[in-house]
Amino acid sequence: MLTCKKAINQISNYLDGDLDEELKHTLETHLTKCHHCHAVFDTTKKTIELYCDGKLFSLPQEVHTRLHEALRRKLQVRS
Ligand SMILES: [Zn+2]
């Protein structure tokens, strides 16, 4: 079972195409069931698309770091 915290940690890796098939599937399943994580996923995806002009791969390290920071803050606010 994937916790919300773990799911959110994996979202940017997922969007980067960095996850193996099993984890990808686990995350996708979680996203269909969990509205909170799905909302985070959506926001992250849109942010990345904005940064990369639709290119979902090869995020610059700086963007990666900033996204992780933002997600971590979101988690802290919630818990
Ligand atoms: Zn969740």
Side-chain angles (χ1 to χ4, degrees), residues 2-5 7-8 30-31 33-38 78:
L2 198 65
T3 63
C4 287
K5 200 169 180 173
I8 287 170
H30 183 88
L31 288 176
K33 289 177 190 160
C34 178
H35 288 292
H36 172 68
C37 289
H38 196 267
R78 201 173 180 248

Side-chain angles (χ1 to χ4, degrees), residues 7 10-11 13-15 19 22 31-32 35 40-42 46 53-54 59-60 62 65:
Q10 294 303 333
I11 283 174
N13 291 333
Y14 174 78
L15 291 169
L19 294 188
E22 198 188 335
L31 288 176
T32 59
H35 288 292
V40 175
F41 172 76
D42 233 38
K46 278 181 190 129
D53 199 26
L59 273 187
E62 195 202 334
T65 312

Side-chain angles (χ1 to χ4, degrees), residues 1 10 14 16 19-20 24 26-27 44 55-56 58-59 63 70 73 78:
M1 247 279 279
Q10 294 303 333
Y14 174 78
D16 238 11
L19 294 188
D20 60 51
K24 202 172 139 183
T26 312
L27 182 63
T44 310
K55 279 174 248 152
L56 290 183
S58 314
L59 273 187
V63 178
R73 243 173 287 136
R78 201 173 180 248

